[in-house]
Amino acid sequence: MTQSSISESIAIVHPITLSHGINAQVWDTDGKRYIDFVGGIGVLNLGHCNPRIVEAVCSQASRLTHYAYNAVPHEPYKKLMARLAEFIPVSYPVSGMLTNSGAEAAENALKIVRAATGRTAVIAFDGGFHGRTLATLNLNGKVAPYKQRVGTLPGPVFHLPYPSEDTGVTTKEALNAMDRLFSVEIDVEEVACFILEPVQGEGGFLALDPQFAQALRRFCDEKGILLIVDEIQSGFGRTGQRFAFTRLGIEPDLILLGKSIAGGLPLGAVVGKKQLLDTLPKGGLGGTYSGNPIACAAALATLDEMTDANLSSWGEYQEKAIVSRYLAWQQKKLSPYLGRLTGVGAMRGIELITPEGAPATSVLAQLLGSARQNGLLLMPSGKSRHIIRLLPPLTTDPEILNEGLDIFESCLAGIL
């Protein structure tokens, strides 16, 4: 099938064409089966074609396929926002708006913080990723390929080192960098917000240091700066908890949602403190497709599945399976390229490095191809594209998860 009608600016990780899938398995148009450790890049925490979500989608599609909420409100939107307000684990009353994607949620959050603070500057972090729209590009802590050939981006945006055991940057070093930033680069009184991922996704599943998060929360409170936490990839159970920010011991002012919120249907949200969400004038928030009824129905079914008991059980099993396998590989010296295990809970990455300790980018490329040939789809990440991020559905059957890890082990061991 020709692809001349599709932009060549879209990078393809796996040059196959999928036909269908169920839970953690997919099949291509030639009938070849794959175990899916990509999950649509973190969208399918409940797997492909989850029966409860499919039933909800079909039921809603027979009742109301679309209405723009800002023209005429509809029931699925109202029900979902009420459920989300209960699902977000914070102490304050939650309000929000639905969007079509995580990037759109980030864009709207930027509007909200500007209106609420009267300031424009944003502080983001090295290695972060928040979207491909024009404003979110500048938030990303990486130039290639996202910021190339697009000219001057909206701002001002400044970046700090990301403190994490996975990066080797300490809380003290990050706080010193922040002190320098406000001494040399920008007046702290001009800063509207900080934006961060509690576990960086595109960055390689790097977990933020809780000590830094708590220090930053105190600093923001002292200076009247808002804190946005991007849970687009880490949220909805990816770590084994509802959201990853709870392990940091903080409460954000605004939270960005997306990816696994609706089982594969396009939906996102920006939620947080009601006084912030009500800052813009009427008409300042909204969108034609934002909060589509079918996507809302899928999200409601998702929340029905994501009980704390389910998330804990799924997350604990996956974490134990991945960590125990990694430790076994490490102990038997499976490969000279096996680096660190990054992340927390069930949100794990496996770093590949050369014997000299440099990022093994070419080895990861070989591993992607070898694993695909043997029936396993993997996803790269990291500044140097040298970290495999593991994103199997949380609902993956144990035998399928272990089969996938077996393929990973065999393929990595086979690279000399």
Tab-separated table of all heavy atoms in Angstrom, residues 1 42 65 167 175 228 275 306 310 337 385:
chain	number	residue	atom	x	y	z
A	1	MET	N	0.846	-1.196	0.000
A	1	MET	CA	0.000	0.000	0.000
A	1	MET	C	0.883	1.248	0.000
A	1	MET	O	1.777	1.391	0.820
A	1	MET	CB	-0.911	0.010	1.229
A	1	MET	CG	-1.878	1.192	1.276
A	1	MET	SD	-2.884	1.203	2.788
A	1	MET	CE	-3.788	-0.323	2.581
A	42	GLY	N	1.551	4.388	25.436
A	42	GLY	CA	0.987	4.667	26.753
A	42	GLY	C	-0.492	4.953	26.788
A	42	GLY	O	-1.008	5.416	27.808
A	65	THR	N	-23.615	10.740	18.904
A	65	THR	CA	-22.213	10.633	18.483
A	65	THR	C	-21.425	11.907	18.736
A	65	THR	O	-20.216	11.848	18.977
A	65	THR	CB	-22.111	10.279	16.991
A	65	THR	OG1	-22.811	11.276	16.230
A	65	THR	CG2	-22.690	8.898	16.721
A	167	THR	N	18.808	10.381	36.566
A	167	THR	CA	19.642	11.324	35.814
A	167	THR	C	20.968	11.611	36.516
A	167	THR	O	21.895	12.142	35.890
A	167	THR	CB	18.920	12.667	35.610
A	167	THR	OG1	18.667	13.278	36.890
A	167	THR	CG2	17.599	12.483	34.875
A	175	LEU	N	18.273	22.822	42.748
A	175	LEU	CA	17.917	24.051	43.451
A	175	LEU	C	18.968	25.134	43.215
A	175	LEU	O	18.636	26.323	43.091
A	175	LEU	CB	17.748	23.777	44.940
A	175	LEU	CG	16.530	22.915	45.317
A	175	LEU	CD1	16.542	22.591	46.800
A	175	LEU	CD2	15.219	23.608	44.929
A	228	ILE	N	2.216	23.093	37.532
A	228	ILE	CA	1.478	22.207	36.639
A	228	ILE	C	2.190	20.861	36.619
A	228	ILE	O	3.400	20.787	36.376
A	228	ILE	CB	1.428	22.765	35.200
A	228	ILE	CG1	0.792	24.157	35.171
A	228	ILE	CG2	0.675	21.807	34.283
A	228	ILE	CD1	0.863	24.835	33.801
A	275	GLN	N	-10.814	27.785	41.370
A	275	GLN	CA	-10.645	29.224	41.155
A	275	GLN	C	-9.742	29.514	39.963
A	275	GLN	O	-9.876	30.549	39.301
A	275	GLN	CB	-10.099	29.905	42.418
A	275	GLN	CG	-8.691	29.517	42.821
A	275	GLN	CD	-8.678	28.386	43.828
A	275	GLN	OE1	-9.553	27.523	43.809
A	275	GLN	NE2	-7.687	28.410	44.726
A	306	MET	N	-10.698	1.076	36.616
A	306	MET	CA	-9.513	1.486	37.361
A	306	MET	C	-9.807	1.728	38.843
A	306	MET	O	-9.611	2.819	39.383
A	306	MET	CB	-8.890	2.738	36.729
A	306	MET	CG	-8.212	2.439	35.414
A	306	MET	SD	-7.241	3.830	34.805
A	306	MET	CE	-6.454	3.081	33.375
A	310	ASN	N	-7.719	-2.842	41.605
A	310	ASN	CA	-7.220	-3.315	40.309
A	310	ASN	C	-5.866	-2.711	39.983
A	310	ASN	O	-4.936	-3.413	39.567
A	310	ASN	CB	-8.211	-2.974	39.199
A	310	ASN	CG	-9.348	-3.967	39.096
A	310	ASN	OD1	-9.285	-5.061	39.646
A	310	ASN	ND2	-10.404	-3.593	38.388
A	337	TYR	N	25.519	-4.695	27.005
A	337	TYR	CA	24.807	-3.440	26.745
A	337	TYR	C	23.696	-3.153	27.754
A	337	TYR	O	23.042	-2.110	27.679
A	337	TYR	CB	24.197	-3.478	25.335
A	337	TYR	CG	25.214	-3.739	24.259
A	337	TYR	CD1	25.189	-4.930	23.536
A	337	TYR	CD2	26.214	-2.814	23.982
A	337	TYR	CE1	26.128	-5.183	22.547
A	337	TYR	CE2	27.156	-3.061	22.989
A	337	TYR	CZ	27.115	-4.246	22.285
A	337	TYR	OH	28.059	-4.493	21.310
A	385	ARG	N	18.008	8.325	22.593
A	385	ARG	CA	17.235	7.198	22.042
A	385	ARG	C	17.912	5.874	22.399
A	385	ARG	O	18.137	5.005	21.553
A	385	ARG	CB	17.101	7.357	20.526
A	385	ARG	CG	15.962	6.572	19.887
A	385	ARG	CD	15.919	6.831	18.390
A	385	ARG	NE	14.994	5.979	17.666
A	385	ARG	CZ	13.707	6.212	17.454
A	385	ARG	NH1	13.161	7.305	17.949
A	385	ARG	NH2	12.959	5.392	16.759
